[in-house]
Amino acid sequence: LQNEKWMNVKVGDIIKLENNQFVAADLLLLSSSEPHGLCYIETAELDGETNLKVRHALSVTSELGGDMNRLARFDGIVVCEAPNNKLDKFTGVLSWKDSKHSLNNEKIILRGCVLRNTSWCFGMVIFAGPDTKLMQNSGKTKFKRTSIDRLMNTLVLWIFGFLVCLGIILGIANSIWENQVGDQFRTFLFWNEGEKSSVFSGFLTFWSYIIILNTVVPISLYVSMEVIRLGHSYFINWDRKMYYYGTATAAEARTTTLNEELGQIEYVFSDKTGTLTQNIMTFKKCSINGRIYGEIHDDLGQKTEITKKKEPVDFSVKSQADRTFQFFDQSLMESIKLGDPKVHEFLRLLALCHTVMPEENSAGQLIYQVQSPDEGALVTAARNLGFIFKSRTPETITIEELGTLVTYQLLAFLDFNNIRKRMSVIVRNPEGQIKLYSKGADTVLFEKLHSSNEEDLLSLTSDHLSEFAGEGLRTLAIAYRDLDDKYFKEWHKMLEDANAAIDERDERIAELYEEIERDLMLLGATAVEDKLQEGVIETVTSLSLANIKIWVLTGDKQETAINIGYACNMLTDDMNDMFVIAGNNAVEVREELRKAKESLFGQNRSFSNGHIVCEKKQQLELDSVVEETVTGDYALIINGHSLAYALESDVKNDFLELACMCKTVVCCRVTPLQKAQVVELVKNHRNAVTLAIGDGANDVSMIKSAHIGVGISGQEGLQAVLASDFSFAQFRYLQRLLLVHGRWSYFRMCKFLCYFFYKNFAFTLVHFWFGFFCGFSAQTVYDQWFITLFNIVYTSLPVLAMGIFDQDVNDQNSMDHPQLYQPGQLNLLFNKHKFFTCMVHGIYTSLALFIIPYGAFYNVAGEDGQHIADYQSFAVTMATSLVIVVSVQIALDTSYWTVINHVFIWGSIATYFCILFTMHSNDIFSTFPSQFPFVGNALHSLTQKCVWLVILLTTVASVMPVVAFRFLRVDLYPTLSDQIRQWQKAQKKARPPRSRRPQTRRSSSRRSGYAFAHQEGYGELITSGKNMRAKNPPTSGLEKTLYNSTSWIENLCKKTTDTVNSFSQDKTVKL
Amino acid sequence: MTWSATARGAQQPDNTAFTQQRLPAWQPLLSASIALPLFFCAGLAFIGLGLGLYYTSNSIKELEYDYTGSLDTGNCSACAEADQDGAPPPNCSCALNFSLPEFFQGPVYFYYELSNFYQNNRRYSVSCDNAQLSGFPSALRQPVNDCAPYQYGAAGLPIAPCGAIANSLFNDSFSLWHELPPSGPYVEVPLDRTGIAWWTDNHVKFRNPPLVNGSLALAFSGTAAPPSWPRPVYELSPDPNNTGFVNQDFVVWMRTAALPTFRKLYARIRQGNYSAGLPRGNYSVHVTYNYPVRAFHGRKLVVFSSISWMGGKNPFLGIAYLVVGSLCILTGFVMLVVYIRYQDQDDEDDSDD
């Protein structure tokens, strides 16, 4: 046995896993520390389900146990399917010792699972590395680029085309000029060697101009963009408001090239478990006999942790109460103290009717191994309230009722399944009474109630249920039934018969269950909170105000998903309709989609024509019309099964269209790959920017395929974070990431791009105009040094500072006004239209820059009468004008003048003059006479008043239209950003303390908040006692019961059909 | 399992104004209270400036006389005619007569103007060697390749000064004669031809090569004059301080013009009786017509001009200021109207709320 890195795990290896370890590869479970080769795994990373799942080894292999020698000699051969991405299916055959054993999913532990409650297990690697089902699901990693990047590429191509056009125009013009004018000028304008014809000269001129004008193609732009993005990424990393103290995790921009895309998100695809929810269930409220407990009363100051105060004295040593449990209502404790029988019965039921396994840890503390977290919450609640579930054997349950140990005989266990939506236990209490305790979905349970239940109680309880449901709590109704001995015995006999039956066994058992679970007496209801992460509701609300559509993609159950939808206000009762698509085949799904759409469009359109192809075309045409006509909020809920059909190519468009018109979309029971497919679908067909957020390995594919992937970090599991582009610890930071950082990034980047293009055009096109006056001879207007330094030294820093630091509105206002986010989604701040505006602005500026000096220098003399209309003075004047004009322009563009902006802008101008005077100084000329021919020019030109008059006029003429245009735009069509800026400015003068609006939850009339993360099959395990450790009995006092009750076990053995199970179970008993 | 992110995250980000993007900042807004006064003030200031410039420019007296000479008219036609075939005959001279009806307020500047002459053509304007012109002996013998085809002479000697600019040196010369008294003999008006080049050009940029045995001619030995020059560079002027590369006319010519029509200073009239200006009367400019321009449809002019505080005559700047100033005011009014209407609308909206 040796330690190996995951990368070294190979197919056929036998590896040992320990508790709470991630599974490194797809394994065939050979043996484990638990009896019968059982082991528990948590698949949250794979499918988002948080309940524990059981895997058991083949009995032949489980015998190997922890015997290293025998394991080492294990030489079975597995023949199985090829690697695929189906998480819930596996077929294969193990040939070992001349016998063949069929393998199914139950024997396999998939990579990405976590081993729980099992101290060790051995497994043989079946698939490793990229062949594992997890990796098969993870999709391809793509190189992500932002839409601005793509737009940029197009624009750069256009600019290049533009450049070539200019080159051609000037080249042809040069040919003509050389032919018409230059030809007569040969005395002075000789031909160069090998350049004797005007056509060839034109050709050379073309290339010369390509070189001279190449500054329109913004090469430094890409570098600058990356620098700006890097700056933004650092701001994300540095943001204390995205730092989570709980896990000491700061937000992290893992990709530094996608920042501005954060400001354009239209669709957010969110995982549920661990992303929206904390994956912690807490018992919040209950209604017992028509009375609500657990309401928080007005005097919040009295919030007390009951558990601590009320812990019975004899528990305090063991500290049985779970310290994390909080319940804020004293009255329940009072009722318990008073001995209200209904309350006691209620808690007793909670302590009895479940599938939890108790375990004592090394410190002697009672630990519950829960299969579904909701149950854990309920049992823990009962425990804290004085009804402590202590231990169980296959046929007894021992609880401590307010200090006294009571052992109940477990007579029957009516397991949970998705159809029944309830579970029951039949127990005999020490007094000999037989009781059936049942908990389940209220809709189901209420039908089973006895008519003797008081109407008041029923209506009260159902009111309470609605109330709970409205708050997004998961509810269960609680009821019991007294059974008389005789009736139970009869029923039990029938059950045994049914169990023994060969055909229609399940149906008969179900019938029997139905039979006994009736005439129930309602006790009350529980409300468990699937604890949302902090601030999820606010975040969701504010994101939807920002017109971001949030889709929940979860591997969890439909009920759970819907419940969470309600809990975080994504689904509300105000919604006009909620479509649930749960068809099991393509036709059904199609039909359901059509129906949903029909009701969406009302009577406007009929979908009676069966031809889907025609319809699709029609729809595509009508898409734009339709989207506007649909009013009201709709929600779509679709499960993974239907989704598989809905994603098929012919229905895809229908589905997408419908989904996009709905305010909320919830996809449940989806596989990781489906998550990615949904994301791809929206990404490809909606042309929208998507963001996927998740925390587990099951979200990796989605994170990779979305434009932006966000990983929730700080919890277990790194896959999501490693695949993500941004990571932080809490879902609520998404709001800040998008609305503040994303918006700013987009805003800054767009401003930066606009300015950059403007600047390059203004700078370069002067050469073009000058071409008309210098015989198209590719003469540059500026000094070579100026051309070299302009983009790098004179103008790069101010625009970088703007790109990094600019803010239009501050972060608080960005958060408070999510509507500010919309320009990004609509791509308003930088698009082709904007680009053309910038281009025209640049061309105008270049024209002003040329025309005014041209006019002013035409045949003019200087102050001392010397000619100043020489080329060098002209160049210096124009360069100075240009630097000043673009500096004024950036000053106008900068809306947030930090010290750095000041330093950069003034510094750039100062630098320009410093460098100008240095390069035109006598000293540098006498050292390098050929390189610096402009000697003395700066001094001579810039002491001329008329040169300054030209610079002033050029500046005003270039900038004035921009100012006027902006002023008029702000006045006539103010954007929200403008308004808020104004408001913000006014606010600065008189800053009143702003109270955050209190988050009000809408009351809901939703009937049921039933959701239960429970899985079928656990009842059987419990009653069979398979999952109990005989060698380590939980409570010593129960040993006797265990041994005395073998007959019960034998009875129950008959119920179990799995031969393997019963076979192994016998062994347990013998131990 | 080690998790680097945890370790990194354990350090909470610094709470500085910089990292939290809370740097104190000035956030200017383009509000009406700034923009409107700005426009009106700028407009008024520009109109004022424009008027000043315009009147100043108009007050400058400028006289231009074209002496290119067309084939049929003008005194210089004879020379021009000969020019048809290339270079005019050597020492072809002509006179240009004009009369001043009133006193020409001095100081008067005497320019020559060439049009359609592309001194800014790239091929032309790069064709010189700055190192050579600043007196580097090595560059004197080995002119840069930019000078080609005027790099080396026919005999293989390096040309000094090399290049097309130097080769095309303007070589017309002028003298101004005043008829004093009226219908009396002409008196030559003294032309001050010193200091017509930029000081830096004449003292820094252009230097003669170090004298050899006190002789400039020896310093230039082993070089050839540009092909179209009748004499070598060291004989440009008899004045030893004004010959060679530092010859003022040569330096003026070497400062290439930005535009195809350009003027260059020829002389100042500020000496003797003419220091205050040119009195009224008849004048004659005697031209030594050497420079061929007719081949490329160029014109040659002599220009007399006075100078104001803002330089020579140029109505453009004044007019441009007036136009921009008026536009500012006009835009200001439009903005004001829009602003007032928008305010009204806003108030209505507010009252509706």
Side-chain angles (χ1 to χ4, degrees):
Chain A
L1 206 62
Q2 56 186 30
N3 278 326
E4 267 300 356
K5 288 185 176 169
W6 281 32
M7 54 180 269
N8 296 329
V9 170
K10 285 196 283 290
V11 173
D13 289 354
I14 292 177
I15 56 178
K16 180 184 179 181
L17 294 170
E18 278 166 6
N19 201 7
N20 297 331
Q21 275 185 341
F22 275 96
V23 180
D26 291 356
L27 304 177
L28 168 67
L29 183 61
L30 294 177
S31 65
S32 81
S33 59
E34 307 298 294
H36 316 297
L38 282 189
C39 79
Y40 299 90
I41 52 167
E42 189 186 277
T43 56
E45 292 280 300
L46 282 174
D47 53 16
E49 285 187 51
T50 52
N51 46 357
L52 293 183
K53 295 198 175 67
V54 181
R55 293 286 183 266
H56 40 81
L58 286 169
S59 49
V60 283
T61 59
S62 68
E63 283 168 1
L64 296 170
D67 187 339
M68 220 57 78
N69 292 327
R70 291 177 62 195
L71 279 168
R73 270 184 273 117
F74 179 77
D75 57 352
I77 293 168
V78 175
V79 178
C80 65
E81 61 191 5
N84 59 30
N85 58 27
K86 291 189 183 109
L87 291 176
D88 51 354
K89 281 206 180 73
F90 181 83
T91 51
V93 175
L94 171 70
S95 324
W96 187 43
K97 288 184 179 168
D98 306 327
S99 57
K100 289 192 173 182
H101 309 270
S102 79
L103 302 174
N104 58 17
N105 201 34
E106 293 291 294
K107 313 281 186 289
I108 305 297
I109 312 177
L110 298 179
R111 172 172 177 179
C113 298
V114 183
L115 196 64
R116 298 282 188 208
N117 300 336
T118 312
S119 52
W120 51 261
C121 76
F122 283 95
M124 186 175 75
V125 178
I126 294 178
F127 299 128
D131 291 341
T132 57
K133 302 218 175 200
L134 177 70
M135 298 312 279
Q136 292 276 315
N137 256 307
S138 63
K140 299 230 161 37
T141 310
K142 285 167 217 149
F143 180 63
K144 291 183 184 179
R145 328 191 52 170
T146 64
S147 51
I148 289 210
D149 261 337
R150 287 189 292 272
L151 178 62
M152 279 289 308
N153 289 344
T154 322
L155 293 183
V156 166
L157 275 182
W158 285 6
I159 293 176
F160 198 77
F162 178 71
L163 170 67
V164 172
C165 283
L166 288 186
I168 290 172
I169 291 172
L170 291 166
I172 291 173
N174 177 263
S175 260
I176 296 168
W177 187 88
E178 288 287 355
N179 199 25
Q180 306 283 316
V181 184
D183 205 37
Q184 304 161 342
F185 199 57
R186 287 294 161 244
T187 331
F188 305 118
L189 202 62
F190 50 90
W191 282 119
N192 270 338
E193 206 60 42
E195 185 195 336
K196 300 279 185 209
S197 82
S198 54
V199 176
F200 186 64
S201 157
F203 175 75
L204 287 183
T205 306
F206 167 76
W207 290 110
S208 305
Y209 269 112
I210 294 289
I211 293 165
I212 287 174
L213 299 177
N214 81 73
T215 42
V216 277
V217 181
I219 297 158
S220 62
L221 182 65
Y222 284 99
V223 182
S224 309
M225 273 170 91
E226 293 307 314
V227 170
I228 287 175
R229 285 171 179 159
L230 188 71
H232 295 172
S233 301
Y234 271 111
F235 280 131
I236 291 173
N237 293 349
W238 284 335
D239 195 339
R240 281 165 77 94
K241 287 178 182 157
M242 301 206 321
Y243 176 82
Y244 185 56
Y245 292 88
T247 53
T249 319
E252 195 186 355
R254 300 173 47 84
T255 311
T256 55
T257 52
L258 298 172
N259 299 53
E260 77 271 1
E261 194 114 297
L262 286 174
Q264 299 186 279
I265 305 293
E266 270 182 76
Y267 290 90
V268 168
F269 298 92
S270 174
D271 180 35
K272 183 188 75 71
T273 317
T275 306
L276 293 174
T277 65
Q278 291 181 345
N279 204 4
I280 297 173
M281 302 276 177
T282 43
F283 180 74
K284 264 283 175 217
K285 291 180 184 182
C286 60
S287 156
I288 307 172
N289 202 18
R291 184 174 165 196
I292 287 196
Y293 298 95
E295 300 271 74
I296 299 165
H297 292 294
D298 293 332
D299 40 1
L300 287 161
Q302 285 196 348
K303 264 192 191 177
T304 44
E305 206 171 314
I306 301 165
T307 51
K308 276 180 186 164
K309 276 189 180 176
K310 292 289 176 181
E311 263 178 51
V313 187
D314 49 332
F315 294 171
S316 61
V317 188
K318 286 180 166 180
S319 76
Q320 296 286 48
D322 194 334
R323 252 176 260 100
T324 55
F325 180 79
Q326 285 189 320
F327 198 71
F328 299 123
D329 197 350
Q330 293 283 355
S331 57
L332 183 57
M333 288 313 293
E334 280 153 25
S335 301
I336 296 167
K337 266 197 197 158
L338 287 173
D340 187 334
K342 289 275 187 187
V343 175
H344 281 197
E345 196 70 4
F346 180 87
L347 293 172
R348 189 173 295 135
L349 189 150
L350 294 189
L352 287 172
C353 177
H354 55 77
T355 60
V356 174
M357 293 299 298
E359 192 179 69
E360 258 177 64
N361 68 4
S362 51
Q365 270 179 324
L366 199 56
I367 302 251
Y368 292 139
Q369 293 185 0
V370 294
Q371 185 253 356
S372 80
D374 345 34
E375 274 200 325
L378 292 176
V379 179
T380 310
R383 168 187 181 177
N384 284 294
L385 294 167
F387 284 75
I388 306 165
F389 167 63
K390 294 287 273 191
S391 62
R392 73 154 80 236
T393 63
E395 62 290 330
T396 61
I397 297 172
T398 306
I399 62 171
E400 192 175 311
E401 293 181 9
L402 299 171
T404 47
L405 276 177
V406 186
T407 303
Y408 291 85
Q409 282 190 330
L410 181 60
L411 300 179
F413 199 102
L414 284 55
D415 199 7
F416 176 90
N417 75 23
N418 273 331
I419 304 147
R420 282 157 43 76
K421 291 187 174 172
R422 62 185 181 269
M423 70 177 285
S424 308
V425 288
I426 302 171
V427 293
R428 190 199 298 270
N429 65 15
E431 289 88 57
Q433 281 176 303
I434 298 180
K435 287 200 172 187
L436 179 139
Y437 291 114
S438 186
K439 66 177 179 190
D442 47 337
T443 43
V444 179
L445 221 57
F446 270 56
E447 289 167 18
K448 300 279 178 186
L449 292 182
H450 194 263
S451 50
S452 69
N453 278 302
E454 292 165 53
E455 281 297 314
D456 280 0
L457 176 61
L458 290 187
S459 61
L460 261 177
T461 309
S462 74
D463 282 354
H464 292 162
L465 279 168
S466 314
E467 195 184 308
F468 296 157
E471 290 166 30
L473 303 174
R474 298 175 167 207
T475 60
L476 284 175
I478 303 284
Y480 75 98
R481 183 186 178 189
D482 290 317
L483 298 171
D484 66 48
D485 233 343
K486 208 178 128 213
Y487 173 71
F488 173 71
K489 275 194 178 133
E490 273 173 33
W491 179 81
H492 198 250
K493 183 130 184 43
M494 282 155 71
L495 184 65
E496 278 169 22
D497 288 349
N499 265 327
I502 295 153
D503 47 291
E504 292 183 337
R505 186 177 140 259
D506 289 350
E507 286 81 358
R508 284 177 64 186
I509 292 175
E511 250 169 60
L512 282 170
Y513 283 2
E514 290 280 308
E515 152 82 21
I516 200 155
E517 288 173 325
R518 62 185 165 80
D519 295 344
L520 300 173
M521 298 303 289
L522 185 66
L523 268 175
T526 60
V528 171
E529 186 182 28
D530 186 358
K531 229 176 174 181
L532 291 177
Q533 286 198 0
E534 244 176 282
V536 165
I537 299 170
E538 289 84 347
T539 306
V540 167
T541 315
S542 123
L543 291 186
S544 34
L545 274 176
N547 213 12
I548 298 172
K549 297 192 184 74
I550 303 180
W551 293 24
V552 177
L553 307 180
T554 176
D556 219 335
K557 287 197 179 62
Q558 185 170 320
E559 292 87 0
T560 324
I562 293 176
N563 204 281
I564 289 300
Y566 275 99
C568 48
N569 273 357
M570 282 156 143
L571 302 170
T572 55
D573 281 330
D574 305 343
M575 294 197 144
N576 303 40
D577 208 346
M578 193 163 98
F579 311 115
V580 178
I581 311 286
N584 280 322
N585 55 49
V587 181
E588 266 177 57
V589 169
R590 192 173 299 168
E591 202 54 42
E592 279 177 37
L593 282 174
R594 180 172 311 157
K595 262 189 209 143
K597 236 193 270 179
E598 233 169 287
S599 71
L600 198 62
F601 300 130
Q603 302 302 314
N604 297 347
R605 301 174 59 212
S606 96
F607 282 80
S608 47
N609 56 340
H611 299 286
I612 285 147
V613 186
C614 303
E615 225 173 78
K616 236 185 346 190
K617 273 182 193 161
Q618 227 175 316
Q619 280 156 13
L620 289 176
E621 285 162 19
L622 289 166
D623 245 5
S624 51
V625 189
V626 163
E627 271 181 55
E628 275 139 37
T629 56
V630 173
T631 51
D633 296 340
Y634 294 90
L636 177 73
I637 288 126
I638 185 161
N639 66 28
H641 222 70
S642 312
L643 194 60
Y645 298 111
L647 290 176
E648 275 168 18
S649 55
D650 56 334
V651 206
K652 205 156 69 175
N653 279 323
D654 288 359
F655 167 65
L656 186 67
E657 199 187 330
L658 179 68
C660 288
M661 274 181 279
C662 291
K663 200 178 149 216
T664 307
V665 178
V666 177
C667 302
C668 31
R669 284 247 165 256
V670 292
T671 63
L673 199 65
Q674 277 180 327
K675 288 186 180 189
Q677 282 172 339
V678 172
V679 174
E680 288 284 343
L681 182 70
V682 175
K683 193 171 140 185
N684 296 339
H685 293 261
R686 275 287 136 171
N687 208 10
V689 184
T690 56
L691 179 144
I693 177 167
D695 71 320
N698 58 334
D699 307 315
V700 168
S701 54
M702 156 170 104
I703 283 171
K704 278 185 186 163
S705 56
H707 288 103
I708 290 179
V710 178
I712 301 280
S713 59
Q715 280 145 16
E716 283 175 78
L718 268 177
Q719 281 97 327
V721 174
L722 290 179
S724 67
D725 304 309
F726 297 90
S727 73
F728 42 70
Q730 294 271 295
F731 180 76
R732 65 169 186 271
Y733 298 145
L734 186 63
Q735 186 185 2
R736 193 172 169 82
L737 184 71
L738 297 189
L739 297 187
V740 179
H741 289 286
R743 205 186 85 83
W744 276 349
S745 282
Y746 176 69
F747 169 79
R748 290 163 179 172
M749 188 57 80
C750 293
K751 266 187 142 179
F752 166 79
L753 290 176
C754 282
Y755 178 77
F756 212 95
F757 284 119
Y758 152 78
K759 186 184 81 177
N760 278 309
F761 274 96
F763 168 55
T764 311
L765 287 183
V766 176
H767 296 306
F768 178 75
W769 309 124
F770 188 58
F772 288 90
F773 297 90
C774 68
F776 310 99
S777 61
Q779 173 70 310
T780 57
V781 179
Y782 318 108
D783 180 7
Q784 289 301 331
W785 289 103
F786 178 80
I787 293 174
T788 314
L789 297 176
F790 176 75
N791 263 332
I792 307 167
V793 179
Y794 302 147
T795 56
S796 63
L797 289 179
V799 69
L800 267 185
M802 183 185 78
I804 294 176
F805 299 111
D806 209 39
Q807 314 179 356
D808 51 348
V809 299
N810 62 28
D811 54 342
Q812 190 57 54
N813 281 325
S814 308
M815 297 272 267
D816 289 348
H817 302 275
Q819 298 88 337
L820 284 173
Y821 194 74
Q822 288 181 11
Q825 294 169 328
L826 302 173
N827 217 357
L828 288 183
L829 296 184
F830 191 78
N831 46 35
K832 285 170 186 159
H833 180 255
K834 274 273 171 191
F835 168 73
F836 279 113
T837 316
C838 297
M839 200 169 138
V840 168
H841 182 198
I843 292 173
Y844 166 76
T845 307
S846 70
L847 204 57
L849 274 172
F850 181 76
I851 294 290
I852 292 173
Y854 170 76
F857 273 67
Y858 187 81
N859 273 354
V860 83
E863 282 162 48
D864 51 1
Q866 289 173 339
H867 51 283
I868 57 165
D870 62 289
Y871 166 73
Q872 293 188 342
S873 301
F874 194 64
V876 170
T877 309
M878 227 143 28
T880 311
S881 305
L882 177 71
V883 168
I884 289 175
V885 166
V886 295
S887 295
V888 170
Q889 185 63 43
I890 190 80
L892 273 180
D893 282 346
T894 306
S895 48
Y896 192 79
W897 283 72
T898 63
V899 187
I900 298 163
N901 293 78
H902 277 288
V903 168
F904 282 178
I905 292 177
W906 302 118
S908 289
I909 298 178
T911 310
Y912 167 72
F913 283 110
C914 287
I915 294 181
L916 182 77
F917 278 102
T918 311
M919 288 199 309
H920 294 190
S921 71
N922 302 345
D923 297 331
I924 202 160
F925 174 78
S926 40
T927 323
F928 307 103
S930 336
Q931 270 73 40
F932 298 96
F934 276 61
V935 55
N937 220 292
L939 196 69
H940 193 270
S941 299
L942 296 180
T943 47
Q944 302 276 338
K945 287 182 212 69
C946 87
V947 169
W948 284 105
L949 286 173
V950 168
I951 292 172
L952 176 69
L953 184 67
T954 312
T955 310
V956 171
S958 323
V959 168
M960 184 198 72
V962 182
V963 177
F965 178 76
R966 291 208 180 149
F967 180 84
L968 292 177
R969 190 186 55 76
V970 171
D971 259 5
L972 292 173
Y973 310 103
T975 60
L976 186 63
S977 158
D978 296 329
Q979 288 168 349
I980 288 169
R981 283 183 70 187
Q982 256 156 18
W983 180 81
Q984 192 172 294
K985 188 151 192 177
Q987 211 68 4
K988 239 185 197 169
K989 286 168 187 160
R991 194 185 283 274
R994 239 161 4 89
S995 57
R996 305 277 288 136
R997 51 208 158 137
Q999 198 65 41
T1000 48
R1001 283 200 193 189
R1002 272 171 282 180
S1003 67
S1004 161
S1005 62
R1006 198 157 73 97
R1007 181 62 186 82
S1008 168
Y1010 162 76
F1012 203 50
H1014 205 311
Q1015 225 191 7
E1016 198 178 352
Y1018 256 74
E1020 206 168 50
L1021 278 171
I1022 285 171
T1023 49
S1024 66
K1026 261 183 72 179
N1027 56 351
M1028 285 170 217
R1029 264 176 232 223
K1031 53 190 169 183
N1032 187 15
T1035 343
S1036 52
L1038 275 167
E1039 278 168 301
K1040 211 165 48 179
T1041 343
L1042 182 75
Y1043 289 114
N1044 289 347
S1045 56
T1046 29
S1047 62
W1048 274 109
I1049 296 169
E1050 272 155 9
N1051 277 344
L1052 287 161
C1053 281
K1054 289 168 193 163
K1055 290 205 302 184
T1056 57
T1057 48
D1058 191 340
T1059 48
V1060 181
N1061 283 0
S1062 58
F1063 162 63
S1064 49
Q1065 184 234 335
D1066 281 357
K1067 280 186 183 165
T1068 327
V1069 175
K1070 275 160 200 157
L1071 276 166
Chain B
M1 186 170 67
T2 56
W3 188 15
S4 56
T6 321
R8 222 177 307 151
Q11 285 158 344
Q12 198 188 349
D14 295 340
N15 188 10
T16 60
F18 178 74
T19 56
Q20 303 308 309
Q21 307 197 59
R22 279 188 279 103
L23 283 176
W26 174 52
Q27 296 178 58
L29 269 183
L30 199 60
S31 63
S33 57
I34 296 171
L36 291 178
L38 184 82
F39 266 72
F40 286 118
C41 290
L44 287 175
F46 271 42
I47 287 179
L49 213 60
L51 285 174
L53 287 171
Y54 188 70
Y55 281 110
T56 314
S57 174
N58 269 4
S59 69
I60 295 172
K61 209 170 216 170
E62 196 177 83
L63 299 169
E64 295 182 354
Y65 301 101
D66 189 335
Y67 72 96
T68 321
S70 56
L71 289 177
D72 43 330
T73 60
N75 229 338
C76 293
S77 301
C79 298
E81 208 166 349
D83 179 17
Q84 273 305 82
D85 311 322
N91 299 323
C92 173
S93 63
C94 56
L96 192 71
N97 298 316
F98 64 97
S99 66
L100 284 178
E102 54 191 36
F103 180 66
F104 195 136
Q105 178 68 44
V108 178
Y109 294 80
F110 185 168
Y111 302 93
Y112 61 92
E113 179 178 325
L114 287 175
S115 72
N116 216 14
F117 192 104
Y118 284 84
Q119 260 203 321
N120 59 8
N121 192 296
R122 192 182 57 81
R123 271 207 320 263
Y124 179 88
S125 63
V126 297
S127 184
C128 70
D129 184 351
N130 285 306
Q132 189 190 50
L133 293 173
S134 62
F136 279 75
S138 58
L140 185 68
R141 314 281 168 208
Q142 280 174 325
V144 291
N145 293 332
D146 283 342
C147 286
Y150 304 108
Q151 190 180 9
Y152 294 99
L157 291 173
I159 295 177
C162 76
I165 311 177
N167 184 49
S168 60
L169 177 70
F170 184 75
N171 55 2
D172 282 5
S173 60
F174 310 97
S175 57
L176 181 62
W177 297 81
H178 184 205
E179 192 186 41
L180 193 74
S183 48
Y186 278 87
V187 179
E188 185 166 6
V189 178
L191 297 177
D192 180 7
R193 305 218 37 230
T194 59
I196 54 172
W198 288 19
W199 188 89
T200 44
D201 284 357
N202 215 3
H203 292 86
V204 181
K205 198 174 176 184
F206 292 84
R207 317 285 305 137
N208 276 326
L211 301 181
V212 175
N213 299 333
S215 159
L216 191 62
L218 284 177
F220 279 104
S221 69
T223 63
S228 58
W229 286 21
R231 51 182 177 271
V233 63
Y234 47 87
E235 283 171 19
L236 275 178
S237 159
D239 178 2
N241 290 327
N242 193 28
T243 194
F245 291 152
V246 293
N247 177 273
Q248 298 256 347
D249 286 322
F250 175 68
V251 173
V252 165
W253 181 255
M254 290 303 285
R255 181 157 282 275
T256 53
L259 300 167
T261 300
F262 58 88
R263 287 175 186 181
K264 289 182 186 290
L265 187 59
Y266 186 76
R268 291 185 178 86
I269 303 170
R270 56 182 178 186
Q271 288 169 334
N273 297 330
Y274 302 93
S275 56
L278 294 178
R280 51 193 281 237
N282 292 325
Y283 290 87
S284 171
V285 180
H286 289 203
V287 182
T288 317
Y289 198 114
N290 293 322
Y291 207 67
V293 292
R294 291 197 50 85
F296 54 92
H297 305 292
R299 316 291 301 169
K300 297 196 282 190
L301 290 85
V302 288
V303 179
F304 298 93
S305 172
S306 58
I307 286 297
S308 72
W309 58 269
M310 51 149 285
K313 190 181 178 82
N314 184 7
F316 172 84
L317 207 54
I319 293 168
Y321 263 93
L322 282 176
V323 169
V324 172
S326 326
L327 278 177
C328 275
I329 292 203
L330 198 69
T331 325
F333 271 113
V334 172
M335 282 158 65
L336 186 67
V337 169
V338 169
Y339 176 67
I340 289 169
R341 291 196 65 172
Y342 161 78
Q343 285 296 92
D344 288 350
Q345 229 173 26
D346 227 29
D347 292 345
E348 278 166 34
D349 289 348
D350 288 347
S351 56
D352 287 349
D353 295 341

